[in-house]
Amino acid sequence: MRTQVGIIGAGPAGLLLAQLLAVRGIDSVVLENRSRDYVQARIRAGILEQGTVDLLTEAGVGERLHREGLRHDGIYLQRPGHREHLDFPGLCGRSVWAYGQTQVVKDLIDARLAAGQRIEFEISDTTLHDLDTDRPRVTYTDRAGFPQVLECDVVAGCDGYHGPSRRMLPPDLQQTWARDYPFAWLGILADVAPSTDELIYAWHPDGFALHSMRSPSVSRLYLQVDPHESLESWSDDRIWSELSHRLAFEDWQLQTGPITERSITPMRSFVSAPMRHGRLFLAGDAAHIVPPTGAKGLNLAVADVALLCEALAALLLHRRSELADAYSDAALRRVWRATHFSWWMTSMLHSTGDPFESQLQLSQLRYVTSSPAAAQSLAENYTGMPLH
Ligand code: FAD
Ligand code: DHB
């Protein structure tokens, strides 16, 4: 089998790249080792930057997003006794949207399959070859158990943190940076109307809590927990009671409901450079991970793909390699901005048990909610810096 771009991974990065390439008339095949049902059910991020919404719209997959997505014009930052609102349009002229990553993935898969374009689900043994030639190949075993070869002009490694693409970089050319945080997030999805109009990020001496949402009838909430915590030790009652305790505010009540999904996610910062080697280009979690506090992981994957699509179009349609050569540096500039912002939000909001650090965090929270300059800095990073 032959295609122009072999895309490994049907997460947001791989699927959106395939869609943007198709709009430009560039052929691709998406290879995914999980099933369609699994990929569409994986509960992850939920906040889209304006630039992400614009790109999905431009790619022709924004119809349901505009119908069902919830525009958010700010967030609440909370510390005991104080719940303060940051008004994003007033601070930086942009907003964000609550729309689940699962919905984005579903919209992209539906669009691709409806247009008769290929996604191979449930493949195994994904292996990349000849990346330093202009005829790279991907070999794999298809869902029926038959060995297959995909010949390409370019391979896009969009296979997430655990995928094989990043490991193809020669160790002497690769640099990595990592930070593991001493906490994790216990996340739940619940069938209950959100108790707030906009997200609440709450600092609390017993640990951070976040109230987010997916729709007018589905809430998404998170608790800071120990990374070694087991889900079994968190009954529904314990989860709701801890959320009510950490999110507590005068005359405000957290509404509870049936929990439909729960998981614990460790928190890590990780960057790998360069994001290109020969005819292999990396995008999204394959090249970098951020802790979720700044809501940046999905948006960064989308920003990578926006740059990568332009670079591949120039390379494959016009035989011009300038953008392909510039891709890694351009993407990494944005990656490091988001890495800093995510680290900063994480450091400001999570309890470490160190009393000195708590006072610094409370001072920083008072500052970002009282200084227009500090609030503006948070707002422009949270809503997403311009692509270029
Ligand atoms: P992925 O979504 O990881 O997609 C990669 C795809 O590649 C997957 O479908 C995978 O199955 C496939 N793949 C892997 N190996 C192979 C192989 N060998 N062959 C073929 N295919 C392969 N971000 C936030 O902003 N907020 C959040 O609340 C949040 N929560 C998260 C919770 C979890 C549990 C995780 C893991 C991430 C979370 N993130 C969150 C991060 C965000 O979801 C990611 O940044 C985003 O999914 C990145 O998209 P991606 O397409 O680069 O990678
Ligand atoms: C959600 C996740 C985040 O990491 C965040 O900062 C805000 C919202 C969410 O899943 O809704």
Side-chain angles (χ1 to χ4, degrees):
M1 194 171 29
R2 185 156 173 80
T3 188
Q4 288 173 289
V5 184
I7 300 178
I8 308 182
L15 290 166
L16 180 58
L17 178 63
Q19 181 73 14
L20 291 168
L21 291 172
V23 168
R24 285 161 182 73
I26 298 172
D27 185 60
S28 66
V29 173
V30 179
L31 303 175
E32 166 61 49
N33 61 353
R34 303 287 194 160
S35 68
R36 179 179 181 182
D37 285 350
Y38 181 92
V39 168
Q40 293 188 172
R42 218 165 20 190
I43 306 294
R44 289 183 170 180
I47 296 293
L48 308 185
E49 295 171 1
Q50 185 65 54
T52 298
V53 171
D54 293 346
L55 200 68
L56 289 166
T57 308
E58 199 186 297
V61 286
E63 196 255 331
R64 195 162 68 97
L65 162 58
H66 285 281
R67 200 158 19 94
E68 297 178 13
L70 308 169
R71 198 185 81 213
H72 282 217
D73 285 341
I75 55 169
Y76 295 101
L77 281 177
Q78 179 168 319
R79 59 189 195 279
H82 301 265
R83 178 177 290 177
E84 277 143 343
H85 187 251
L86 295 189
D87 167 39
F88 290 159
L91 287 163
C92 66
R94 296 194 293 273
S95 302
V96 293
W97 296 71
Y99 189 68
Q101 177 168 333
T102 35
Q103 309 305 324
V104 173
V105 164
K106 186 171 181 314
D107 293 345
L108 284 163
I109 291 176
D110 286 350
R112 184 160 178 87
L113 296 181
Q117 292 147 355
R118 292 188 67 174
I119 310 177
E120 295 267 302
F121 288 105
E122 297 177 69
I123 65 148
S124 53
D125 307 322
T126 317
T127 313
L128 290 68
H129 310 266
D130 303 334
L131 298 169
D132 45 9
T133 74
D134 57 9
R135 281 284 175 272
R137 290 175 303 126
V138 184
T139 56
Y140 62 95
T141 305
D142 70 18
R143 62 187 296 191
F146 294 108
Q148 300 288 351
V149 182
L150 180 64
E151 294 176 351
C152 329
D153 295 323
V154 161
V155 176
C158 303
D159 44 3
Y161 183 68
H162 300 286
S165 297
R166 186 179 64 253
R167 292 174 183 84
M168 298 305 294
L169 262 81
D172 54 329
L173 295 182
Q174 189 192 25
Q175 246 190 310
T176 60
W177 298 263
R179 161 94 29 119
D180 286 309
Y181 298 86
F183 24 76
W185 277 15
L186 189 165
I188 62 161
L189 206 57
D191 281 338
V192 57
S195 308
T196 177
D197 55 343
E198 294 188 324
L199 272 60
I200 306 169
Y201 286 80
W203 183 96
H204 192 280
D206 295 339
F208 170 71
L210 170 61
H211 190 331
S212 181
M213 62 197 72
R214 286 292 178 273
S215 75
S217 57
V218 176
S219 296
R220 175 84 167 143
L221 299 111
Y222 297 95
L223 283 169
Q224 174 189 343
V225 296
D226 188 273
H228 308 294
E229 195 80 39
S230 82
L231 264 183
E232 289 68 51
S233 56
W234 285 85
S235 65
D236 290 18
D237 280 352
R238 183 177 175 207
I239 292 172
W240 285 118
S241 123
E242 196 58 29
L243 283 166
S244 300
H245 169 61
R246 296 189 197 177
L247 289 165
F249 189 62
E250 60 197 31
D251 302 330
W252 179 85
Q253 198 94 45
L254 178 65
Q255 301 303 318
T256 65
I259 296 176
T260 56
E261 197 267 351
R262 71 193 74 208
S263 63
I264 292 183
T265 311
M267 292 173 72
R268 176 180 299 132
S269 295
F270 173 80
V271 180
S272 166
M275 288 172 61
R276 180 216 181 156
H277 174 62
R279 285 290 177 116
L280 169 67
F281 294 81
L282 300 178
D285 279 17
H288 43 74
I289 300 277
V290 289
T293 325
K296 284 283 159 267
L298 168 61
N299 292 294
L300 261 191
V302 167
D304 285 354
V305 156
L307 290 174
L308 183 53
C309 174
E310 295 309 323
L312 295 184
L315 187 70
L316 299 174
L317 299 177
H318 308 296
R319 308 238 161 269
R320 297 192 63 112
S321 60
E322 294 90 340
L323 291 179
D325 294 341
Y327 167 70
S328 179
D329 287 347
L332 283 165
R333 271 195 292 281
R334 189 186 181 86
V335 166
W336 276 113
R337 176 88 303 278
T339 299
H340 178 271
F341 178 67
S342 305
W343 163 85
W344 177 76
M345 285 284 279
T346 301
S347 310
M348 177 170 69
L349 287 164
H350 290 74
S351 170
T352 61
D354 174 347
F356 177 74
E357 206 154 323
S358 295
Q359 293 306 319
L360 293 181
Q361 292 172 325
L362 290 168
S363 169
Q364 187 66 21
L365 278 165
R366 284 194 298 271
Y367 180 51
V368 289
T369 49
S370 60
S371 153
Q376 196 174 12
S377 169
L378 189 153
E380 70 173 357
N381 278 283
Y382 191 95
T383 57
M385 305 295 274
L387 200 54
H388 295 288

